């Protein structure tokens, strides 16, 4: 029924109705005029007023349908109510433009169309009102609402419509009325018609009771869902309350215009995503900020630009920037940093994808002036669009790989030398070999170098090399003797002989003489016969 708060739909309608309240209501409020081409206040300047915003939007150029229902029953003659309504309507209608459409309907025993046509000539419209109310007339509010909805159901109706009801009494229809009571099937039909109208137009109602017993105004809320009941303290307050009705209609018209900007904000992107060479640690790029709105100016404060994916410092964008509707602005920025060498700093070309990241608070200088009637629903943050920037740099040291290779070679050499000192130590002394069973002159094997091959007189062949070991008495070099007897096959037999010790393998007994010189005395006992070699 009656509603003291405007619904979102009412707010959205804002646009076309601005005409209505614009002229007349502005005249009543004696609002200072603003040039038609006024622009929104820039960031840091004074915030624009509602009237400046309305003028910037061209709200006055948007047509609005007004249905004004005036009670002309006998009670309206009391306390000068009717004459006050006539004079106040003149001021109200003066605020409309010729783009608006006015239906002035009076009602008592039945509704009567007094004026149907364009606004713009308030004197002419008001002159169509009867000179005085019908002293014997009833108050058929249902029939009046029926007539008003019929007017708004025409095919060329505007996108924004307002029904204004002025009455000082309750619903008191004549006996022949189609609305004998204040409820029932006829009222349900009215409500369905109004709901159907609301599906294609921004419909709102404004009910103004002109007396303490004016309960009939509540019936408008039963029919038109978005109805605001304005309750002037006296008939002298009627002008101010009509102005409120006009202001609300202007807000609905503005909201309708601004609805296309809801949810639209500021986007940012790299202007050019080509390769940036950061070998020297810095390069330049550009960032473009764009406003996606059509009407609303936007301000981004606390701006901070950075990058994800590549460690970059991005400078050159101001801390606060303001964009006109649909404006794009490009800023040249300095990039510092770049791809890193990572854990292996060898010289190479490294590419990284630097995704733009922008933080900041998005707002509009219009928000405070239009609240709470119009909620712009601006996204709080900046949305990043577009592809990442390619950051390229020559990273690492040209000396890294040569140093690694040199260190590897040195490690291999040192490792080989260590292995050689343990597994192939220098040999000293003489190794004698005699058969285990039998008496023969021993073969003398002179030990020198790191490995010695031998061929005993009785046949076969073998090798001798050292193996360095750690013992409780200190390091020593054992002899590792491998021998394959003549005629044998397969792997050679192997035995270890301690320094100065004896060992048997393959039927031969070997004795190490560590202190015997390799070229010592002896008669033909040198076993380094043909086929024998040293290494």
């Amino acid at each position: 029924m009656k509603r003291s708060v405007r619904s979102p739909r009412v707010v959205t309608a804002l646009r076309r109705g601005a005409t209505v309240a614009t002229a007349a209501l502005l005249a009543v409020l004696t609002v200072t005029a603003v040039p038609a081409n006024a622009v929104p206040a820039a960031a840091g300047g004074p915030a624009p007023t509602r009237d400046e915003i309305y003028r910037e939007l061209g709200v006055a150029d948007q047509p609005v349908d007004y249905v004004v229902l005036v009670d002309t029953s006998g009670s309206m003659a009391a306390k000068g109510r009717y004459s006050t309504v006539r004079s106040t309507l003149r001021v109200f209608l003066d605020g409309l433009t010729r783009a608006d459409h006015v239906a002035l309907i009076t009602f008592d025993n039945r509704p009567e169309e007094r004026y149907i046509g364009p606004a713009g000539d308030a004197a002419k419209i008001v002159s169509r009102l009867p000179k005085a109310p019908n002293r014997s007339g009833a108050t058929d509010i249902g029939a009046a609402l029926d007539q008003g909805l019929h007017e708004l159901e025409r095919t060329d109706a505007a996108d924004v419509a307002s029904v204004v009801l002025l009455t000082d009494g309750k619903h008191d229809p004549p006996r022949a009325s189609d609305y004998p009571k204040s409820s029932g099937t006829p009222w349900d039909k009215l409500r369905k018609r109004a709901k159907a109208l609301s599906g294609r137009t921004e419909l709102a109602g404004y009910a103004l009771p002109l007396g303490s017993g004016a309960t009939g105004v509540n019936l408008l809320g039963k029919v038109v869902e978005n109805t605001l009941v304005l309750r002037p303290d006296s008939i002298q307050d009627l002008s101010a309350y009509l102005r409120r009705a006009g202001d609300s209609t202007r807000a609905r018209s503005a909201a309708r215009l601004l609805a296309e900007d809801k949810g639209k904000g500021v986007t940012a992107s790299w202007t050019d995503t080509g390769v940036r060479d950061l070998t020297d640690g810095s390069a330049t790029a550009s960032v473009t900020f764009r406003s996606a709105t059509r009407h609303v100016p936007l301000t981004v404060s606390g701006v901070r630009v950075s990058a994800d994916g590549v460690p970059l410092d991005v400078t050159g964008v101001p801390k606060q920037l303001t964009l006109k509707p649909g404006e794009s602005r490009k800023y040249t920025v300095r990039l510092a940093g770049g791809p890193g060498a990572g854990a292996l700093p060898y010289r190479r070309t490294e590419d990284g994808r630097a995704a733009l990241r922008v933080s900041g608070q998005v707002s509009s200088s219009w928000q405070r002036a239009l609240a709470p009637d119009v909620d712009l629903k601006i996204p709080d943050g900046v949305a990043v669009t577009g592809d990442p920037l390619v950051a390229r740099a020559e990273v690492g040291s040209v000396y890294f790989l040569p140093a690694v290779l040199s260190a590897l070679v040195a490690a291999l050499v040192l490792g080989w030398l260590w292995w050689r000192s343990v597994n192939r130590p220098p040999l000293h002394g003489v190794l004698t070999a005699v058969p285990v069973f039998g008496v023969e002159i021993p073969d003398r094997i002179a030990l020198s170098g790191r490995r010695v091959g031998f061929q005993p007189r009785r046949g076969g062949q073998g090798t001798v090399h050292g193996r360095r070991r750690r013992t409780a008495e200190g390091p020593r070099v054992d002899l590792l003797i491998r021998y394959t007897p003549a005629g044998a096959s397969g792997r050679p037999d192997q035995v270890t002989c301690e320094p100065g010790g004896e060992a048997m393998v393959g039927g031969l007994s070997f004795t190490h003489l560590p202190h015997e010189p390799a070229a010592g005395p002896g008669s033909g006992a040198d076993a380094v016969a043909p086929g024998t070699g040293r290494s």
Side-chain angles (χ1 to χ4, degrees):
M1 186 172 149
K2 70 271 176 218
R3 296 178 58 175
S4 56
V5 204
R6 301 176 186 88
S7 73
R9 191 173 182 83
V10 175
V11 174
T12 308
L14 239 156
R15 179 187 195 187
R16 287 181 138 89
T19 353
V20 177
T22 277
L25 308 182
L26 289 181
V28 175
L29 288 171
T30 63
V31 177
T32 304
V34 178
N37 60 350
V39 295
T49 65
R50 273 202 180 195
D51 293 314
E52 289 174 327
I53 294 172
Y54 290 164
R55 289 178 183 273
E56 177 69 15
L57 288 172
V59 167
D61 299 329
Q62 307 301 316
V64 177
D65 265 321
Y66 277 89
V67 173
V68 183
L69 306 176
V70 180
D71 186 353
T72 52
S73 63
S75 60
M76 285 291 288
K79 298 182 181 180
R81 290 172 184 160
Y82 187 69
S83 59
T84 301
V85 168
R86 285 176 58 96
S87 61
T88 304
L89 276 179
R90 170 73 180 268
V91 177
F92 174 76
L93 294 170
D94 272 334
L96 310 186
T97 68
R98 297 193 66 84
D100 296 325
H101 186 274
V102 175
L104 179 61
I105 300 172
T106 61
F107 64 94
D108 41 62
N109 291 331
R110 58 183 176 82
E112 186 172 344
E113 295 178 351
R114 299 295 180 170
Y115 177 85
I116 304 292
D121 190 344
K124 175 182 177 181
I125 298 172
V126 173
S127 68
R128 301 292 180 87
L129 287 171
K131 300 297 183 182
N134 181 359
R135 295 187 176 276
S136 61
T139 308
D140 196 344
I141 296 176
L145 293 174
D146 185 342
Q147 187 68 27
L149 293 179
H150 177 73
E151 174 60 27
L152 296 177
E153 288 167 341
R154 69 184 195 281
T155 57
D156 62 343
D159 292 336
V160 176
S162 293
V163 178
V164 180
L165 172 64
L166 300 98
T167 181
D168 69 336
K170 62 181 181 179
H171 180 56
D172 184 20
R175 292 187 178 183
S177 173
D178 292 335
Y179 302 89
K181 298 180 180 180
S182 298
S183 61
T185 301
W187 290 93
D188 293 339
K189 291 180 179 179
L190 282 180
R191 189 179 303 109
K192 288 181 180 179
R193 288 169 60 192
K195 187 174 183 179
L197 275 173
S198 298
R200 60 181 179 85
T201 188
E202 295 295 338
L203 176 64
Y206 302 95
L208 289 90
L210 304 180
S212 58
T215 58
V217 293
N218 296 327
L219 295 176
L220 178 59
K222 286 185 174 182
V223 176
V224 178
E225 182 180 358
N226 296 323
T227 291
L228 181 64
V229 178
L230 306 172
R231 299 186 181 278
D233 295 332
S234 66
I235 191 64
Q236 284 72 28
D237 296 331
L238 180 60
S239 176
Y241 277 81
L242 275 175
R243 182 175 67 246
R244 285 181 58 184
D247 285 341
S248 178
T249 303
R250 283 206 300 169
R252 289 166 53 221
S253 294
R256 188 176 182 86
L257 277 172
L258 296 175
E260 58 187 303
D261 281 350
K262 284 187 177 181
K264 296 180 180 179
V266 175
T267 62
S269 62
W270 294 114
T271 307
D272 176 12
T273 56
V275 177
R276 294 297 187 278
D277 189 351
L278 289 154
T279 302
D280 295 334
S282 67
T284 59
S286 58
V287 177
T288 299
F289 288 81
R290 296 180 179 85
S291 168
T293 62
R294 182 177 179 182
H295 304 286
V296 181
L298 300 174
T299 297
V300 188
S301 54
V303 180
R304 185 176 181 276
V305 181
S306 58
D308 285 338
V310 178
L312 288 176
D313 288 331
V314 185
T315 57
V317 177
K319 293 295 184 182
Q320 180 169 301
L321 57 95
T322 297
L323 299 172
K324 296 177 182 178
E327 180 184 6
S328 294
R329 192 175 300 171
K330 182 171 71 173
Y331 293 94
T332 299
V333 297
R334 171 67 59 179
L335 308 178
L344 297 175
Y346 61 91
R347 193 66 170 179
R348 66 192 186 277
T349 299
E350 190 74 22
D351 285 352
R353 295 171 64 81
L356 183 65
R357 183 176 182 181
V358 180
S359 59
Q361 180 69 36
V362 181
S363 61
S364 174
S365 58
W366 287 15
Q367 285 176 298
R368 179 171 295 184
L370 294 176
D373 300 304
V374 183
D375 183 0
L376 296 179
K377 296 187 181 299
I378 299 171
D380 293 336
V382 177
V384 175
T385 61
D387 296 327
L389 185 76
V390 178
R392 176 174 295 168
E394 294 292 327
V395 300
S397 171
V398 293
Y399 302 107
F400 179 77
L401 282 180
V404 170
L405 291 175
S406 299
L408 182 60
V409 170
L412 290 174
V413 169
L414 290 174
W416 179 80
L417 290 175
W418 174 85
W419 181 89
R420 188 166 176 255
S421 69
V422 172
N423 295 284
R424 294 292 187 273
L427 299 175
H428 302 282
V430 172
L431 188 66
T432 64
V434 296
V436 175
F437 303 103
V439 179
E440 293 183 8
I441 298 174
D443 293 319
R444 292 173 60 86
I445 304 168
L447 301 178
S448 62
R450 297 179 183 274
R451 183 174 180 273
V452 173
F454 63 90
Q455 290 180 345
R457 280 192 296 268
R458 66 179 297 172
Q461 61 182 5
T463 62
V464 180
H465 66 267
R467 172 77 53 85
R468 195 180 301 277
R469 300 182 185 278
R470 292 181 182 274
T471 66
E473 292 78 18
R476 76 183 189 199
V477 175
D478 292 341
L479 299 180
L480 190 63
I481 304 169
R482 292 190 177 96
Y483 173 62
T484 304
S489 61
R491 298 183 63 180
D493 296 327
Q494 178 176 300
V495 69
T496 299
C497 180
E498 296 180 0
E502 295 182 1
M504 289 182 293
V505 64
L508 291 179
S509 176
F510 293 90
T511 301
H512 180 220
L513 305 174
H515 303 296
E516 185 94 12
S523 56
D526 193 346
V528 184
T532 301
R534 293 186 182 88
S535 62

